[in-house]
Amino acid sequence: MSQMVYKSPLVTATFKFCQVLADFFVKLYQSCVSETSSMPREIITLQLGQCGNQIGMEFWKQLCLEHGISPEGILEEFATEGTDRKDVFFYQADDEHYIPRSVLLDLEPRVINSIMNSPYANLYNPENIYLSKHGGGAGNNWASGYSQAERLYDEIFDIIDREADGSDSLEGFVVCHSIAGGTGSGMGSYLLERLNDRFPKKLIQTYSVFPNVDEISDVVVQPYNSLLTLKRLTQNADCVVVLDNTALNRIAADRLHIDTPTFAQVNQLVSTVMSTSTTTLRYPGYMNNDLIGLIASLIPTPRLHFLMTGYTPLTTDSQVANVRKTTVLDVMRRLLQPKNMMVSTPVHRQANHCYISILNIIQGEVDPTQVHKSLQRIRERKLAQFIPWGPASIQVALSRKSPYVQTAHRVSGLMLANHTSISHLFERILRQYDKLRKREAFMDQFKKEAIFSDNLDEFDNSRETLQQLVDEYQAATRRDYLSWGTQQAPAAEKM
Amino acid sequence: MAHLKGKVDQLTRQLISTITGFEKGDENFALCLQFAQSNFRYHQFLSVDSHHTKRQLEGLCTKLEVHSEGERAETLRELASKFLQSPLHEGEGETEDTATDTHYAVLSLLCLLAQSPTKNEYQPTQQHLVEEPKDDFDWAGHLLDGENILHFSGYHSDTSSEEEDFPLDSDEDSNAEDNKDDDASTVEDKNQSLSVVRLVSENVSMETTLEHDRGEDWLTDNVMVQYWRGQGQNDVRGPHSSSNLLRDWSSYQVRSGETYAVVGQHVITEYQLIREILWMLSGVSDLFLFNKTDSGFHLKDSVRLSHLSGASLESCVQKLIDLANHVHDLHTFVNKVVSSCCRPLDAKKPTLGSQTFQAFADSLSRILGDFRSDLSHLEREVAKQEKSDCVTVSSLLNTLSPWLPTMDAVWDIFTAGVQPTAQPPGAKGNISCSNDVSRLLTALYDGVVLQDSLGQSSTHLVSTLLRLLLETSRPYLNIIGQWISAGQLSDPASEFVLQRNESIKCLDETFWERAFTLNSPAAPHRDVSNTSLSSAGLCAEEEGWEQAFEDVVEATPKFLRPVMRDVMLTGKSMELLQALGRLPEVLASVGAGLFEDKSLYELFVDSLKDVLGTVPSQTQGVVEETTLKAHIFVEHLRTNNRYRGTEDHLLRINFEAIFSTVFREKEVEKDPYDLSCLGCVEDSYVTPIGLLFRRCLYPHVRRRYQLVCSRLLDILKTEYKLMDYLNSMQHFFLMSAGDSMFNFYTQVFDKMRHQETWNNPYNLTLTLQEAMQSRHEHVNRLFISMETLPKSRERSTVGATDSIRLNFAVPWPVDLVINSKSQDLYNQVFRFLLQIKRAKYGLDQLRFRDLDKTALLTVSPDDDDLSAVMGEGETMSRSERLHRLHVLRFRLAYFVNSLHNYIMTRILHSSGLEFADEIKEATDLQQVIDVHARYVHTIHEQCLLHKKLSFLKGAVTQVLNLTLTFAMRWDQGIHNISGKSLTEMETEFSRCIQFLASFLNNIIKRGSFPFAVQLTFALVTSLPSNTKSSDRFSY
């Protein structure tokens, strides 16, 4: 009896301990259940229209090369040990082959068919390829593309939703399109609006190809299409990487010495830019592991999110490197030269324009101290003119190179820059639009579609938005930008 | 000579009857006669050694010359030669036999008679015998001149114990008494030449004064004056002017100075003085002429020599007195050490018992022994009075001059090395033995180097001292050798500078740092201060270690200082290897043939010999000597005992056995590595001592160090994956595994943003491990614990994540490098990084839409309503607020990005690369630990976490806080942000930025924080047009 009493404290202690233990295990179990395993910040690519699909295809080609993935999506033997992150842009099917997180949309079959006949046909998930049933295309008409997309809403978003659900922590969307055509611009505009509603928290980045102004385009309604698209790009995208066809052709001709650059050659430039700008996501370092982190610091205010790009050194397959010395300073200096910019703006016109912010992505074996020295040099020599109202924001992200792609250069660099002179592009579009609009040229085609059936307010609306954008860029060159919002207060706010 | 025979016969009979008292016809008488006759016939008396006699005469002359009696010496010489020239027998004058044996016999007889006058039964009848030569040579006429003067105060020596003290063996003064009964004649023999002078005077006195005066006077003349009873003869005079110097001088002084008074003086002879000096040197403390006080010997005030003034006497003797003092001190020390090593270890004076001191004492006693033997030799010489170089104090000084510098140097070393420790017993509580030992060794080394640098003249001295140093350092070197070759620190008397701290086990992570502590009272004190340091005072701790090492080096004997570091590291490495269970293997692979059969000391001596080019060749002699010594020793004991009347055979046998083994052992031990060969160092000796050590001792230590340390490092790197763990630390704590850590912290931040509970350590650990699992090793060792924060820090939003503590369970041998201290630092860095990441993430996640959307949802048709809601004070329109929020976000983002960029690039890339380089080059574990600690400190400092930078950190934290607040407000929507609060935020931000920028700029200009240049630059350029912004924000 007494022994029992004697034991009891021990017994209770043991009991308590058991309870604590049990609690612990329950918690452990709960946490196991509640936590979804954390995963990469996936990015879904939407390729719209003829141009978008062409760019996209080049982009995927490049990614496959860099990750050592064969055109069929099979990981090459030599690439099995890689430390890269393929899961940002790819996912693995049941048979282990890599599938791009990509959605291919077009209203006419030509480009997509050519893709399906290429070696990369088996790469894509066939369910993600959507071709309009009647295959008539948008006829270079924004309104047509827009309203067709409206009609196809359910089918398109089935695909997108499926993709989005298939990813664990979706970072955002990348949209490839041109703003001049019908499908890319019209359908793109519609999608941008809808994506914004549907995924309000997700990042939307676009690679938008601007038309070449040097040659007379076969698409006469370019200014209309551009204007209408730009409104959506301004309001619904988080970040627009401007790919100016004019500049791309110029670069191809001047820098690469190709007299008549083909689409493929130009698109390769584009794909280089695209792959490099995502390189820090795919080759993880100790920094810059998310897209938003890269972009957020570039964009001061909601509308000023149109980025120029520059890349150096540029080579093509056929050409041996003509750039001999690639130090960090060298690369960064070259990047600041206008001739390497993939947006062509008149250079010497009232040189008030300035950089708002710059992000340099440097690839290769780089010592950070060199980067620092280069930055200092650039700032001391005032190689770049910065906004007077904010910090001279040059940021540098270092990244590894793909081990599977041999390049002749030790260091290469991509610049993403927010520069006020980009407003020239918009001004030009505005001027051209005004010219067309004055004559009410080609309005009939637009009036056919529902959105313009009643009135042409949408045009005016878009013009106003674009004008405000231009104004804001102009304002950003001035000191008093901080108090810019006050003067024109209410008007700007009524969106 | 036949005609002499009858006379001789008769005289012999007479002699026998006189001496023995036997009657003629006695059997004994016949025997005696036979003996005496045979002696006369065949012994020295028959054939006189002419050369010997000549020498004696020559000595006599010299003696006279010494006593400034040049004329007399000349005369004596003249007379002797004249005598030798003249024919002996007048009758047969025509013979040419000059300088025959007979001549010499006569002379020699004279000499012999002079030697032992007391044994001569004087008979006046024999006068005619003497008178015969007197006719030829005017002996008396010549010698009578100086009769009075020749009565020296007394050279007679037939009594008293002083005489017996002469052959005094250095170790036995007690048996002086017992020797009284020794045969006086032996003493006489020894003093033969000494007595020559006396003989002459004796002779003279015999001839002249005998008739009228045979009793008292003779006695007073011949008995040694008892000068120790104050019976000095003040009126000793000499004809030579210098011998009266003292008297003249004092009388002059009396005349010229009124204050001068002659005090009682003992005027003694120089011979007496020399005798006493020799005794004093040999260690007798009970002397008449010298007082022994605590401070040493002193010449008594009243002692005077007749031919020297008091001051000059003193100055003459002073050097010898000093020498005697030194010898005495050394001797006492040796005795003390010897006696203390027989006793059990004395708690109060552990020093004396230490091996080093014993070795030192041993070596010292050898030197002292040499000195003693020299001294006794000298004493014999002096007693003979044959040579002219030992009869004055200054000549004695000359003779001893080789010993003077040696003893001086040895004594200097002794005082520097031993004396101070011996003085304050128990004053400090526990006197550290190691300090004393190292002080001694240092003093020795200093002494050697000093003497060495004095140049060629002192080479003998140098070799003596070098030998002393070598022998003394033997135990110390043995300890080191044992430690670095076998990994055991066996140091019973704790004389080594380091001590194994038993409280620290080998498996402890602080093993490397704490396992060996300085063997001195200062050590525990420093230890305490070390632990009490807060984790923030990192550099101080680092310095602390450096300081500790400095201390160790300081406490090391000087000649070992350059290698002390190596010794420590090797020793520790050995122990570590032992703990790893790899010691035998390492010993087998590395130590083969190196340390197997020879100790460090032996190696040292070997290479020393090589360098000096000497070959041991004297071992044979040593052996003989030692056995001889043993015999002498035993012999001594026996006589001793006999005199005490306790002769015990068993005891004697016993002693014999003991001593013979002792000596044999000694000789065996001495055999291979005896240093006596270094005696001939002088010849080949050219290199300075420092170089000698560098060449002979250091390489052995260094080689060992290289082998052991590199092996240990190898094992750590390959088998215990040191580098992997270091990389892991970077991956996890410094977030170099950017993407995986990103997954972890963004989840946490998201939860915090949505105000879910996030701080459950289990969940956090799980999240972390899941995030890392796929890509990294050692994830399982990682877990998170939460710390409760002080209230003040909880309030600041940015500090919320500070409660996270990342723990990384580092396995044993690696945790020597990555210890908990550095983990603390890592954690601080980690938390700071987490703060920055959180701010950055917070800003990145802000969407322009969010700011606006809420405004859209709350139905607010126009701004007037809104401002009504917000309050009367609202002055800013909504769009303006929006715009300014946008711009503020942009600027905040720039700041946070710059900071983030700087920190990450700095700590991971630049410092990381340096770290990787350095660790690749590290050759021992200590270096690895140092490099790592320095790296951690560097990044800690570069993250502005150092105390000195706390104000900078404060500003940074403020901005980060602001950022978080800003992000929170942004999420709440535009209409919850008043213009006022917006302005406040802007002002605060500008203020912080300006402060940081200007401050950093100043610092950079001064060049203090070179690493912060980049950040500064970014910040300075981020200041928009300064004036403008401050204008704007001033209202």
Side-chain angles (χ1 to χ4, degrees), chain A residues 24 31 35 38 41 85 196 200-201 238 286 289 292-293 296-297 299 302 368 379 479 481-482 486 493, chain B residues 738-739 742 747 751 762-763 766 844 847 849 879-880 883 886-887 889-890 894 897 905 909 1014 1017 1025:
Chain A
F24 171 71
S31 62
E35 293 291 329
S38 70
R41 319 207 32 107
R85 302 203 73 150
N196 236 339
K201 294 280 179 187
D238 291 299
Y286 48 88
N289 297 301
I292 182 68
S297 62
I299 298 161
R379 279 165 171 153
R479 245 162 214 288
Y481 178 69
L482 284 175
T486 33
E493 288 313 312
Chain B
D739 54 335
F742 182 84
Q747 287 188 36
K751 278 189 188 169
Y762 309 115
N763 285 351
L766 214 66
D844 285 349
R847 295 293 144 82
R849 257 169 259 137
S879 65
E880 188 188 350
H883 182 66
H886 293 157
V887 174
R889 186 203 70 100
F890 182 59
Y894 175 74
N897 272 329
T905 316
H909 215 111
Q1014 190 187 350
F1017 211 80
S1025 41

Side-chain angles (χ1 to χ4, degrees), chain A residues 26-84:
Chain A
V26 167
K27 270 180 191 163
L28 204 67
Y29 176 69
Q30 281 172 347
S31 62
C32 281
V33 173
S34 65
E35 293 291 329
T36 54
S37 73
S38 70
M39 269 299 109
R41 319 207 32 107
E42 299 90 347
I43 292 169
I44 296 173
T45 312
L46 305 177
Q47 305 168 195
L48 307 177
Q50 187 182 341
C51 179
N53 275 308
Q54 276 169 341
I55 298 171
M57 194 183 121
E58 290 297 328
F59 175 60
W60 290 114
K61 259 191 207 169
Q62 183 72 22
L63 285 199
C64 284
L65 270 180
E66 288 188 7
H67 288 293
I69 295 170
S70 75
E72 285 81 33
I74 312 294
L75 200 58
E76 305 277 6
E77 292 272 317
F78 54 78
T80 46
E81 287 296 311
T83 54
D84 48 352

Side-chain angles (χ1 to χ4, degrees), chain A residues 24 27-28 30-32 34-41 82-87 171 196 199-204 235-238 284-290 292-294 296-302 356-357 366-369 372 375-376 379-380 387-398 472 479-486 488-490 493-495, chain B residues 734-740 742-747 750-751 753 760 762-763 766-767 770-771 774-775 837 840-841 843-850 852-853 856 861-863 876-880 882-884 886-887 889-891 893-895 897-898 900-902 904-906 908-910 913 971 1013-1015 1017-1018 1021-1029 1032-1033:
Chain A
F24 171 71
K27 270 180 191 163
L28 204 67
Q30 281 172 347
S31 62
C32 281
S34 65
E35 293 291 329
T36 54
S37 73
S38 70
M39 269 299 109
R41 319 207 32 107
T83 54
D84 48 352
R85 302 203 73 150
K86 304 172 186 68
D87 44 8
E171 168 108 46
N196 236 339
F199 304 97
K201 294 280 179 187
K202 301 303 175 195
L203 185 75
I204 300 172
Q235 290 182 347
N236 297 110
D238 291 299
Y286 48 88
M287 278 167 64
N288 306 311
N289 297 301
D290 55 342
I292 182 68
L294 279 177
S297 62
L298 284 172
I299 298 161
T301 53
I356 297 170
S357 55
V366 175
D367 181 3
T369 51
H372 167 232
L375 280 178
Q376 210 158 350
R379 279 165 171 153
E380 278 164 7
I387 42 167
W389 48 270
S393 170
I394 300 188
Q395 314 253 0
V396 177
L398 301 179
E472 187 164 355
R479 245 162 214 288
D480 56 356
Y481 178 69
L482 284 175
S483 53
W484 175 71
T486 33
Q488 31 168 283
E493 288 313 312
K494 305 277 194 242
M495 303 202 303
Chain B
L734 307 184
M735 301 201 190
S736 80
D739 54 335
S740 313
F742 182 84
N743 286 336
F744 162 66
Y745 62 72
T746 48
Q747 287 188 36
D750 279 342
K751 278 189 188 169
R753 191 180 176 192
N760 181 338
Y762 309 115
N763 285 351
L766 214 66
T767 314
E770 255 171 34
S774 52
R775 290 179 172 267
K837 299 265 184 195
K840 178 171 161 57
Y841 184 71
L843 278 182
D844 285 349
Q845 292 304 310
L846 296 182
R847 295 293 144 82
F848 297 116
R849 257 169 259 137
D850 292 339
D852 246 355
K853 195 174 60 186
L856 290 174
D862 56 0
D863 289 334
M876 256 182 266
S877 72
R878 182 164 166 274
S879 65
E880 188 188 350
L882 268 178
H883 182 66
R884 282 179 50 182
H886 293 157
V887 174
R889 186 203 70 100
F890 182 59
R891 293 176 59 198
Y894 175 74
F895 173 80
N897 272 329
S898 299
H900 179 241
N901 215 329
Y902 152 72
M904 293 304 276
T905 316
R906 252 295 141 188
L908 283 174
H909 215 111
S910 311
L913 285 181
D971 277 344
V1013 172
Q1014 190 187 350
L1015 180 64
F1017 211 80
T1021 48
S1022 84
L1023 286 175
S1025 41
N1026 276 343
T1027 49
K1028 179 149 176 33
S1029 62
R1032 266 201 66 81
F1033 299 132

Side-chain angles (χ1 to χ4, degrees), chain B residues 174-194:
Chain B
S174 61
N175 67 349
E177 294 277 309
D178 308 325
N179 278 349
K180 249 180 190 164
D181 297 338
D182 269 359
D183 202 355
S185 64
T186 54
V187 181
E188 296 289 301
D189 278 343
K190 283 184 182 169
N191 296 349
Q192 273 178 1
S193 58
L194 187 82

Side-chain angles (χ1 to χ4, degrees), chain B residues 6-16 18 40 123 126 129:
Chain B
K7 212 180 253 178
V8 167
D9 227 31
Q10 197 188 348
L11 283 172
T12 313
R13 284 166 205 278
Q14 214 175 325
L15 179 70
I16 289 166
T18 324
F40 285 144
Q123 288 181 340
Q126 284 176 332
L129 267 181

